[in-house]
Amino acid sequence: MLLIFFVAAIVTGILTTRIKQQEIIVRKREERTRYLYEFSRSLIQSKTLVQIVDSFTSTIAKHFGGHAIVLLGTNEKDFFAAQASNSRIKEKEAAVAAWTFSQEKPAGWSTQTLSGSKCLCLPMKGQKKILGVLMFYPLSTQSFFSIDEENFLETLLNQASITIENNFDDLTIYSFLSSQK
């Protein structure tokens, strides 16, 4: 009889643990869905390139911590921060961003390419060409992203890239970049 109670307690404990884990996963998905909805709404309301970039970087900061800088440009030697930033981009991080722009692949923190960098650089790909680079500076205590977090960041990145490409032609972006010099 005691053995039956013991087995029932173990099974109940295992099932309770699984339910709690599933609840955490569902809450994280719900949170990501809410952030994506809010981000989509802010993109629709944005009228300028700076508003789109600010909405994008603030959403990343809220969800992932750290801070982000968006670099827009026409080639790896001619791109500039699309928003005001308190931090200067160091030469090493600028080189990682240039590599990311030219190779159209992620590099830096949490990747296997140029992993000594303190930032994660992701290409902002439009439907026709690369528009720029997202530089994400994680918090010093932050661990690597889970696969779900990587997918969510790529979703936000794709949304922002396509919005920029669809709403602003090359001439508008180039004149914006020229005014930033």
Side-chain angles (χ1 to χ4, degrees):
M1 183 75 155
L2 184 62
L3 183 64
I4 293 173
F5 285 130
F6 185 69
V7 170
I10 289 176
V11 170
T12 305
I14 290 171
L15 293 176
T16 302
T17 302
R18 285 186 183 174
I19 289 172
K20 286 181 180 180
Q21 289 172 342
Q22 288 176 351
E23 179 186 4
I24 290 169
I25 290 169
V26 168
R27 285 182 191 223
K28 285 183 179 180
R29 283 186 188 150
E30 182 182 319
E31 180 183 342
R32 283 192 299 267
T33 303
R34 184 175 46 84
Y35 277 121
L36 188 57
Y37 173 74
E38 290 172 0
F39 179 59
S40 297
R41 284 190 67 199
S42 68
L43 286 181
I44 290 169
Q45 296 169 351
S46 298
K47 304 267 187 259
T48 66
L49 188 58
V50 173
Q51 288 175 333
I52 291 171
V53 170
D54 286 344
S55 174
F56 179 47
T57 55
S58 68
T59 300
I60 290 173
K62 278 191 252 178
H63 186 74
F64 297 102
H67 77 281
I69 298 172
V70 172
L71 304 176
L72 296 175
T74 54
N75 61 55
E76 66 268 9
K77 295 177 183 165
D78 189 27
F79 55 95
F80 300 93
Q83 81 273 24
S85 175
N86 296 343
S87 59
R88 291 201 43 85
I89 299 171
K90 295 179 181 171
E91 191 173 324
K92 185 176 183 179
E93 277 93 22
V96 175
W99 187 91
T100 297
F101 192 95
S102 65
Q103 301 298 314
E104 298 185 20
K105 294 180 181 174
W109 175 81
S110 83
T111 68
Q112 294 181 356
T113 307
L114 305 171
S115 59
S117 175
K118 292 183 181 178
C119 71
L120 171 64
C121 293
L122 298 168
M124 294 184 69
K125 297 178 184 177
Q127 295 169 338
K128 301 172 190 157
K129 62 180 172 41
I130 186 166
L131 303 169
V133 174
L134 167 69
M135 297 178 76
F136 174 72
Y137 291 87
L139 299 172
S140 60
T141 59
Q142 192 166 359
S143 61
F144 297 141
F145 292 144
S146 68
I147 291 175
D148 284 340
E149 289 174 323
E150 284 180 19
N151 290 337
F152 182 63
L153 182 59
E154 285 183 27
T155 301
L156 293 174
L157 185 66
N158 291 335
Q159 285 277 76
S161 299
I162 290 171
T163 301
I164 290 170
E165 186 178 48
N166 287 342
N167 292 320
F168 300 99
D169 59 5
D170 290 340
L171 183 62
T172 306
I173 293 173
Y174 185 75
S175 63
F176 172 79
L177 295 173
S178 297
S179 70
Q180 298 297 309
K181 290 182 181 180

